[in-house]
Amino acid sequence: MPIAPAAILYESGKPLVIEDIRVSDPGPAEVIVRMKAAGVCHSDLHVMKGDLPMPCPIILGHEGAGVVEAVGAGVTSVQPGDRVWPIWRSSCGRCEYCQLGRPALCELGTAMRFTGLMPDGKTRFHTLGGTPIRHYAGVSTFSSLSCMPESAVVRIESDISNEHAALISCGVITGLGAVTHAAQVRPGATVAVFGCGGVGLNIVQGARMVGAVKIIAVDTVASKEAHAKNLGATHFINSTDTDPVAAIKELTHGLGADFTFEAIGLPEPIEQAFDATRKGGTCVVAGICRSDARARINVNQLLYAEKTLKGTLYGSMRPRIDLPRIVHLHQCGSLALDELLTRTWRLNEINEAYASLERGEVARSLIVWD
Ligand code: ZN
Ligand code: ZN
């Protein structure tokens, strides 16, 4: 049983603890992945703070890129030495949602996310003292060595860097997919994006890629304006001193935007995004809220104004098919990645990395290994 350092959450509200853990040898249909890069994403922060309760101890981290170290019996899609993306919603390929082309809603992936266990209901991580540690979303990328179901990895066939691959694995696919798959933004459309974090910035760049003519970015942190404009935003609204709904209407001849997106995960900006959507327009929620959050929506706007309000998970994309396609978008020059990455950290700096994320200092940052 290999031993490797990991960042463990023992209790929500407390810092992560870096310590060596034992990782079980891969069972049937399982792979051991040596992580090379892992994304510092807000979704993990929700669990750290207790906004999304999970049983502890647990190893968080759901984005990244790594190299297969070992495979269990019956694994056919990857072999040791292959570079892989972890997929934070495994899909079984057989359930109704998988058959409908909506793998993010797969029953298997959903169960793993909420139990923190592998498909057999057990864990493959233990402290050196023998205490079981839960998995997160089946991938736990904050462990230098992670055990994942084969269904949770996709082989990286291109020579894209580990850092770029890790960025694509969550924020980019979610943001782009929110635009292309969930909202289906048309060329010439007006778009407003609430929140310029990892997902929001990729909604901005996705809107640019599909030919939106007005892309209005909204955030409370002034320094996000440069990031957003760098990726295609035509306007920036600082919502700490400006009413974003009024400002968006003013920029759209009083109509509101054709498509609005919420990429923060708070009720108020969801309400504002819905109010700032024009008649017949679509409001897409891509930010993860506290599990008990409720937003107040003027229901009559759904019918009198025929507005659509919808959510998106994983950008409503199919990671197994769409991750390689997104690499091609980067290779042909359409998709910016360097502009997203503000800095990298080592695993033992992970608490500082999250403090920096909370202060709004970074567009995206990654934990990297040699
Ligand atoms: Zn399924
Ligand atoms: Zn993420």
Side-chain angles (χ1 to χ4, degrees):
M1 255 194 232
I3 291 174
I8 305 171
L9 179 72
Y10 279 98
E11 196 184 327
S12 60
K14 299 263 173 71
L16 302 178
V17 178
I18 314 297
E19 66 183 50
D20 281 344
I21 59 154
R22 252 181 245 287
V23 182
S24 301
D25 292 320
E30 291 174 8
V31 298
I32 302 292
V33 177
R34 187 166 289 281
M35 295 312 304
K36 292 293 176 185
V40 177
C41 180
H42 246 112
S43 313
D44 304 288
L45 193 60
H46 281 300
V47 182
M48 291 178 204
K49 289 175 148 183
D51 293 345
L52 295 178
M54 279 296 291
C56 292
I58 184 169
I59 300 172
L60 299 174
H62 62 280
E63 311 179 357
V67 178
V68 175
E69 179 121 327
V71 301
V75 170
T76 55
S77 64
V78 292
Q79 55 187 19
D82 283 349
R83 297 169 68 226
V84 289
W85 278 292
I87 300 182
W88 48 258
R89 274 295 156 95
S90 287
S91 52
C92 70
R94 294 181 297 276
C95 74
E96 184 178 341
Y97 296 111
C98 285
Q99 293 297 318
L100 287 168
R102 305 182 73 180
L105 303 181
C106 174
E107 305 285 9
L108 170 74
T110 306
M112 285 168 60
R113 162 65 181 79
F114 288 96
T115 59
L117 297 167
M118 293 288 270
D120 66 356
K122 295 188 179 132
T123 174
R124 307 291 184 267
F125 300 138
H126 290 85
T127 65
L128 295 186
T131 306
I133 310 168
R134 303 268 173 158
H135 298 246
Y136 185 56
V139 292
S140 293
T141 59
F142 294 160
S143 183
S144 307
L145 213 52
S146 189
C147 181
M148 308 176 190
E150 182 184 11
S151 60
V153 297
V154 175
R155 189 147 66 109
I156 302 174
E157 314 239 359
S158 67
D159 59 1
I160 187 169
S161 70
N162 293 322
E163 286 82 0
H164 283 174
L167 291 172
I168 287 174
S169 74
C170 179
V172 173
I173 188 171
T174 301
L176 278 192
V179 172
T180 58
H181 286 56
Q184 300 181 15
V185 174
R186 297 175 297 274
T190 52
V191 169
V193 185
F194 287 72
C196 297
V199 171
L201 289 174
N202 284 297
I203 293 173
V204 166
Q205 92 160 320
R208 169 181 56 74
M209 288 164 70
V210 300
V213 288
K214 203 167 268 183
I215 304 169
I216 306 160
V218 182
D219 204 292
T220 54
V221 178
S223 62
K224 299 279 185 172
E225 177 169 5
H227 292 306
K229 289 200 168 161
N230 206 10
L231 290 161
T234 56
H235 300 79
F236 181 84
I237 297 166
N238 188 330
S239 54
T240 47
D241 51 26
T242 306
D243 171 7
V245 179
I248 290 165
K249 289 202 168 159
E250 200 177 313
L251 287 167
T252 53
H253 310 288
L255 299 171
D258 296 315
F259 297 93
T260 60
F261 296 86
E262 201 278 350
I264 304 164
L266 288 172
E268 191 185 10
I270 292 171
E271 294 161 5
Q272 291 168 333
F274 185 71
D275 288 344
T277 307
R278 71 173 288 171
K279 276 191 202 177
T282 299
C283 173
V284 176
V285 176
I288 296 173
C289 288
R290 281 178 59 97
S291 51
D292 57 357
R294 298 286 183 275
R296 289 159 54 90
I297 296 300
N298 183 327
V299 178
N300 273 353
Q301 288 197 27
L302 285 170
L303 56 278
Y304 285 122
E306 287 201 352
K307 292 187 186 183
T308 300
L309 175 63
K310 65 188 298 188
T312 183
L313 184 66
Y314 237 139
S316 309
M317 279 198 168
R318 303 144 304 169
R320 210 162 271 286
I321 298 165
D322 292 310
L323 286 171
R325 291 186 181 185
I326 293 171
V327 172
H328 291 152
L329 287 172
H330 174 62
Q331 287 169 333
C332 75
S334 300
L335 177 82
L337 291 175
D338 286 324
E339 291 77 352
L340 294 170
L341 183 59
T342 308
R343 68 162 294 171
T344 60
W345 309 84
R346 309 301 291 188
L347 184 64
N348 60 12
E349 298 173 308
I350 193 164
N351 289 307
E352 206 182 324
Y354 271 96
S356 170
L357 177 77
E358 277 203 277
R359 291 193 297 265
E361 291 169 357
V362 292
R364 288 308 319 272
S365 74
L366 298 169
I367 307 293
V368 294
W369 287 261
D370 291 329

